Amino acid sequence: MLMVQLAFGWRVTRDLSEQWPVVPERPTDNAVNLVAFGDPAFLHRVFARQIQDFGDTGGRSTRMADYDMKAVVRWLDVLDQLDSLSQYQIAMAMSYFSFTPQTDDLRRLIDYTSRAVLAAPKNRIQWLREAIVIADRRIRDPKLAMALADQLAASDEPGLNILAYQLSPLLRARNGDLTGALAAMQHALSKVRSDTPQNEIDFMMQFIADTEKKLAEEAAAAQSGVAP
């Protein structure tokens, strides 16, 4: 009888498609506050685990390309509502959901990361570097990469690696904005600390000297009407 029941059940259900949503709708802000029962940190952990399991619709895996990334970002915002200092949700955005091959979805994740970093720069500023890499190498959007690099360089968080300030001038120089690159590298040089390696200081000073020379050559060529 058991074998008959299993065989019958398999025959009836084998062609049924799973109706579970890949990414369910996020709860309202009021619902989140009610469900937290005064312990938002606990609910943050519960929701974080659930978000990790999105796409497991009854034992079936889902391609990252098939995720509704707008809905994912709304869930990440819920986690920020519960714990605005946690890095966990940004790590998921930049190290997990960023495996999506969809350019528009990558832009949504970058936009979320940029907003989330502004909410708690001390804990999260390093994630802008991940966003810059994605914008520059995967989306190939130099304007977006430079905007993120400028946001990173504008941070005054103590202990920030000097590379954080060098990314903006390097990207600007590569994309032909020598004036912006010069100003950005001068700003980077102003952030030198006692523990900054001398080779990094030498590199920045040489960059400034070389950029000033190129700008002078361009100005002279413009006056003479000859291309540099």
Side-chain angles (χ1 to χ4, degrees), residues 18-209:
E18 193 60 65
Q19 299 300 315
W20 295 1
V22 176
V23 181
E25 280 300 316
R26 60 151 284 178
T28 65
D29 291 345
N30 288 336
V32 170
N33 292 331
L34 288 173
V35 174
F37 290 110
D39 191 353
F42 175 76
L43 187 60
H44 177 275
R45 292 191 291 272
V46 171
F47 279 166
R49 178 59 185 269
Q50 289 180 354
I51 293 171
Q52 279 187 287
D53 291 338
F54 285 168
D56 182 8
T57 54
R60 302 175 185 178
S61 60
T62 303
R63 299 183 311 157
M64 196 64 73
D66 295 332
Y67 279 63
D68 181 351
M69 210 57 69
K70 290 181 181 178
V72 168
V73 169
R74 288 194 289 269
W75 274 99
L76 297 178
D77 285 332
V78 170
L79 295 185
D80 279 326
Q81 177 184 339
L82 292 167
D83 187 348
S84 62
L85 299 180
S86 173
Q87 298 187 47
Y88 196 84
Q89 47 265 35
I90 305 183
M92 282 198 290
M94 290 288 96
S95 302
Y96 177 62
F97 290 114
S98 63
F99 278 101
T100 177
Q102 305 291 353
T103 297
D104 288 344
D105 288 343
L106 288 173
R107 290 183 182 277
R108 292 186 181 97
L109 294 170
I110 287 175
D111 177 69
Y112 160 75
T113 300
S114 178
R115 291 188 289 104
V117 166
L118 287 175
K122 183 176 181 180
N123 287 18
R124 299 170 164 183
I125 194 68
Q126 70 275 12
W127 290 107
L128 279 179
R129 291 197 293 267
E130 303 297 327
I132 292 168
V133 171
I134 293 172
D136 182 55
R137 299 182 182 177
R138 294 183 58 191
I139 301 178
R140 299 188 183 281
D141 186 338
K143 290 184 178 179
L144 177 58
M146 286 189 290
L148 293 165
D150 288 344
Q151 180 182 344
L152 178 59
S155 172
D156 288 322
E157 291 301 320
L160 198 60
N161 190 291
I162 196 66
L163 177 63
Y165 302 104
Q166 294 174 348
L167 285 173
S168 177
L170 292 174
L171 287 171
R172 290 188 174 281
R174 194 180 72 186
N175 289 286
D177 180 13
L178 294 181
T179 302
L182 176 60
M185 190 59 84
Q186 289 170 336
H187 173 72
L189 190 60
S190 73
K191 296 297 182 179
V192 165
R193 302 189 310 266
S194 59
D195 61 343
T196 302
Q198 185 60 43
N199 65 313
E200 294 291 346
I201 298 174
D202 293 341
F203 165 75
M204 289 186 284
M205 293 181 67
Q206 188 62 52
F207 181 96
I208 290 171

